[in-house]
Amino acid sequence: MQGPNNKKTASPPEQNKNNSKESREKSSSLSSQKRFLLAESLLAESQRKFFSREKYVAKRSFRERFGLYTGEEHSAIKVTLRLTESVLQAILPWVILWGGYGFLISLLNYYGHISKVNADIKAIPNIVISLNIVLSLLLIFRTNTAHDRFWEARKLWGGMVNTVRNLTRRISIVIQERQPEDRTEKEAMLRLVVAFAVAMKLHLRREPVNSELACLISSSKYEALQDVNHPPLQIAYWIGDYFQHQHERECIDVIELHALHLLLDEMVNLLGGCERILKTPVPLVYTITLKMLLTFYFLLLPWELVSGLTWWTGPILAFLSCILLGIDEIGAEIEEPFGHDANDLPLDAICKTMLRNTYDLCSSCPIN
């Protein structure tokens, strides 16, 4: 019999179970505490980086933003000169012309001829004020229209980058490799997808097929592209033919074949969107009207300014013409954003990005 003071003790298995449970709870509590401390330290580090004034200001500099945009590294001064070089070259003769015209008006004012004309024609100030309003509206319309075309082109090329990434990824994954040469053929097809984007860039710039495509396609295909009128469409045909051939070999099913053709169709649609921008310029009547009003404005403006500025009329007129003509020239430059100007889209950098992504994909793609 058990005495009244004898207590019931737990069996060894139950005691071990309780001890292991307590140790697991302690370890999980410690691990969660470590994770919390790690997350807190990462947030603190992120906060320090965010409030670091030097890094925050550097990201807004011309050098950093231009490098992020084009992938090129230049100083702030060189970036400014490069972006304004094409505009200044186009307007510099006109700026010199209008500055000389302002000096001529100052010379006539020195000999007393301008005061007689201003006394006879008292409506010149009112005409200048009216032209200020009209020119402001036209320049705003010009700039907004050109920027809309530029931004639309950038969205189309951004869509091209995403579509190329999706298409090359899907080709790498879903198309089976049953023979050793299938791997080589697949890699050639991945390069051909990038060749479509490069051929699209050359087509939009109205340039012939060159060595940029020679390193992406076979010599026979390169020779064939020399004789076609639309190289991107020919490359799209070759890609689609490859998909159909792999379906006939039963390397892909019909669902994946349909998905691949949809991505290829999207690439052709993006090409058509860029061609729409290229072949539909801003109506010339707006450009002609703006040029005529600017000329008339610069002819009348020094007659009003000369009475107060005297010999400073020429430099001030040159400065104002540089601003107004520069805005007009910027609109003319970016309304067709596929060229080689510094303010056009960095199509070379975009194509290099697609090529680099495809190369990384080929390097990391396992052999099926």
Side-chain angles (χ1 to χ4, degrees), residues 307-318:
S307 59
L309 297 176
T310 60
W311 293 108
W312 284 95
T313 304
I316 295 300
L317 184 62

Side-chain angles (χ1 to χ4, degrees), residues 177-220:
E177 301 170 12
R178 297 183 175 178
Q179 299 176 359
E181 57 270 15
D182 290 346
R183 175 75 178 188
T184 304
E185 187 178 5
K186 180 187 286 188
E187 291 179 352
M189 192 52 51
L190 293 177
R191 291 193 299 269
L192 194 63
V193 174
V194 182
F196 176 90
V198 176
M200 174 178 166
K201 177 192 70 173
L202 298 175
H203 175 71
L204 295 175
R205 290 177 172 176
R206 301 182 179 92
E207 296 178 356
V209 175
N210 56 26
S211 58
E212 292 183 69
L213 285 172
C215 62
L216 294 173
I217 60 179
S218 63
S219 57
S220 60

